């Protein structure tokens, strides 16, 4: 199970420094405030880190997969 999770994390790892920073920032926000609205955080991160629509879509799928797994 741990090996599978590692493979998933490696495969789904965000590409590009701005995207990595956005994931770290969103994750920190979610830890600080459990009830934070993910869609709002993703929109804020897109503006804050100057992400493309493709990057924003990646964030949505990344966090949706996290909810399922």
């Amino acid at each position: 199970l741990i090996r599978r999770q590692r493979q998933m994390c490696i495969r789904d790892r965000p590409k590009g420094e701005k995207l990595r920073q956005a994931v770290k920032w969103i994750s920190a926000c979610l830890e600080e405030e459990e009830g934070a609205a993910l869609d709002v955080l993703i929109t804020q991160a897109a503006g804050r880190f100057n992400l493309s629509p493709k990057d924003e879509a990646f964030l949505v799928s990344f966090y949706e997969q996290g909810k399922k797994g």
Side-chain angles (χ1 to χ4, degrees):
L1 180 63
I2 293 172
R3 176 184 243 174
R4 184 171 163 236
Q5 287 174 334
R6 280 189 193 156
Q7 288 173 342
M8 226 172 77
C9 289
I10 291 169
R11 183 186 73 225
D12 295 336
R13 184 173 291 153
K15 291 140 183 84
E17 187 59 30
K18 291 189 293 186
L19 201 48
R20 283 188 196 96
Q21 290 174 342
V23 168
K24 287 179 185 179
W25 181 80
I26 291 170
S27 297
C29 290
L30 289 172
E31 284 182 16
E32 288 177 16
E33 188 179 333
E34 286 185 32
L38 187 57
D39 58 334
V40 172
L41 291 175
I42 290 173
T43 301
Q44 289 175 346
R48 181 183 195 112
F49 297 101
N50 194 28
L51 302 178
S52 70
K54 184 178 176 181
D55 291 338
E56 194 170 350
F58 171 84
L59 290 174
V60 171
S61 74
F62 179 80
Y63 283 101
E64 286 299 317
Q65 285 179 356
K67 287 181 184 178
K68 293 176 187 175

